[in-house]
């Protein structure tokens, strides 16, 4: 029997957990992930992060779809207890389609995932965030606003913005004002290593401030759609054009390693060897150049003789 078939027949969440999720839009669960799986995932992925992003905080430090080349990432994304729980919450088979791994807190501004991922009919998308180490108030926990999943989805049109990620900062500012007007206090995902938080796609959430910049906050997020829907990206969609998605589903029963992204090479500072002073041979003193004495020509000799004779003759006449 496949993992998906098992998920269709079994239960994992209690009625209390299901009621909590329906009321608040999230629930924290211990799925029983083996600790060695979490540790192996962290150590295997660590070399693949951009070295510049390993100094927290660093929004943008992420690896997308590590499930393709790291078995432990695939294991978390397709864990039987996760699929069973999502089936209980949404009443449909869960279809994992993307993983994101983070070494530190994102400090991402508040948003709803429905602006990035959505379905027809709506409401059939969820995320599962797994703590790969203990998370407290100092290393950047998730921040979310309980109950906001019950509000209407906020679209780019609602924010009076044209679709496109070039307008995403304006969307974030709109959501910040929207949350301030709601007056709903934030909650934080403080949880021990191995626990996971399931959230509804329309739950307003983000990453809180990282108070201790020396600490990591390793985590994995898996995004799920559900069977029987069409899938699209609202950020790229208009009333006249829907940007449909055709996800590559993460098969729980089959994993074949893909070539990973290249490990970034650390940029070493060049070692500057001292340049030796050139050894110059002593320059010898130039030898004196003899000035040649020009020999008088025959014509010059005759002229000088004539001048001497003239001087003698004049001398005798003047006596």
């Amino acid at each position: 029997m496949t993992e998906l078939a098992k998920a269709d027949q079994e239960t994992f969440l209690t009625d209390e957990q299901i009621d909590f999720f329906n009321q608040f839009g999230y629930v924290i669960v211990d799925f029983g992930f083996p600790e060695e799986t979490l540790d192996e995932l962290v150590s295997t992925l660590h070399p693949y992060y951009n070295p510049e992003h390993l100094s927290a905080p660093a929004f943008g430090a992420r690896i997308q779809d590590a499930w393709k080349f790291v078995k432990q990432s695939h294991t978390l994304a397709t864990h039987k207890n996760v699929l069973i729980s999502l089936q209980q919450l949404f009443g449909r088979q869960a279809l994992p389609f993307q993983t994101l791994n983070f070494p530190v807190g994102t400090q991402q501004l508040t948003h709803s995932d429905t602006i990035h991922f959505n379905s027809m009919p709506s409401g059939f998308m969820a995320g599962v965030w797994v703590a790969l180490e203990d998370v407290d108030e100092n290393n950047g926990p998730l921040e979310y606003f309980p109950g906001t999943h019950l509000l209407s989805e906020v679209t780019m049109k609602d924010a009076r913005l044209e679709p496109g990620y070039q307008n995403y900062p304006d969307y974030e500012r709109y959501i910040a004002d929207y949350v301030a007007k709601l007056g709903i206090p934030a909650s934080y995902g403080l949880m021990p290593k191995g626990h996971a938080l399931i959230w509804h796609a329309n739950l307003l959430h983000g990453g809180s401030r990282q108070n201790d910049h020396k600490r990591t906050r390793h985590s994995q997020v898996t995004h799920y759609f559900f069977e029987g829907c069409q899938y699209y990206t609202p950020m790229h969609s208009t009333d006249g054009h829907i940007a449909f998605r055709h996800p590559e589903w993460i098969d729980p029963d089959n994993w074949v390693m893909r070539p990973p992204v290249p490990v970034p090479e650390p940029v070493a500072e060049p070692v500057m060897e001292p340049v030796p002073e050139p050894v110059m041979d002593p320059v010898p003193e130039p030898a004196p150049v003899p000035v040649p004495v020009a020999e008088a020509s025959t014509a010059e000799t005759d002229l000088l003789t004539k001048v001497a004779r003239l001087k003698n003759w004049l001398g005798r006449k003047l006596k």
Side-chain angles (χ1 to χ4, degrees), residues 32-44:
F33 299 126
E35 185 167 359
E36 59 269 21
T37 299
L38 308 181
D39 294 341
E40 289 171 3
L41 177 56
V42 170
S43 61
T44 302

Side-chain angles (χ1 to χ4, degrees), residues 209-226:
R209 178 179 177 179
Q210 185 152 337
N211 296 321
D212 188 346
H213 294 173
K214 296 180 181 180
R215 293 180 58 187
T216 58
R217 196 220 61 182
H218 288 282
S219 60
Q220 173 167 308
V221 172
T222 306
H223 291 131
Y224 301 81
F225 281 127
F226 293 83

Side-chain angles (χ1 to χ4, degrees), residues 219-268:
S219 60
Q220 173 167 308
V221 172
T222 306
H223 291 131
Y224 301 81
F225 281 127
F226 293 83
E227 66 175 350
C229 302
Q230 290 181 295
Y231 316 102
Y232 70 104
T233 305
M235 181 64 74
H236 291 316
S237 301
T238 64
D239 291 338
H241 172 74
I242 304 300
F244 286 105
R245 303 174 68 101
H246 303 282
E248 178 184 0
W249 307 122
I250 305 175
D251 185 352
D253 300 300
N254 184 40
W255 181 75
V256 177
M257 182 179 179
R258 315 273 187 89
V261 295
V263 178
E265 292 288 342
V267 180

Side-chain angles (χ1 to χ4, degrees), residues 144-220:
Y144 42 85
F145 297 86
T148 53
H149 69 301
L150 300 173
L151 302 174
S152 298
E153 295 177 2
V154 177
T155 65
M156 295 295 280
K157 186 176 181 179
D158 294 328
R160 298 181 179 85
L161 297 170
E162 292 296 320
Y165 277 96
Q166 70 274 11
N167 294 321
Y168 190 67
D170 293 325
Y171 163 83
E172 291 177 316
R173 284 188 283 271
Y174 180 87
I175 292 295
D177 292 339
Y178 179 61
V179 170
K181 292 174 183 177
L182 290 174
I184 300 174
S187 293
Y188 299 92
L190 311 181
M191 63 188 82
K193 176 181 178 180
H195 281 49
L197 184 145
I198 306 174
W199 78 88
H200 189 284
N202 199 40
L203 181 74
L204 294 173
H205 67 283
S208 67
R209 178 179 177 179
Q210 185 152 337
N211 296 321
D212 188 346
H213 294 173
K214 296 180 181 180
R215 293 180 58 187
T216 58
R217 196 220 61 182
H218 288 282
S219 60
Q220 173 167 308

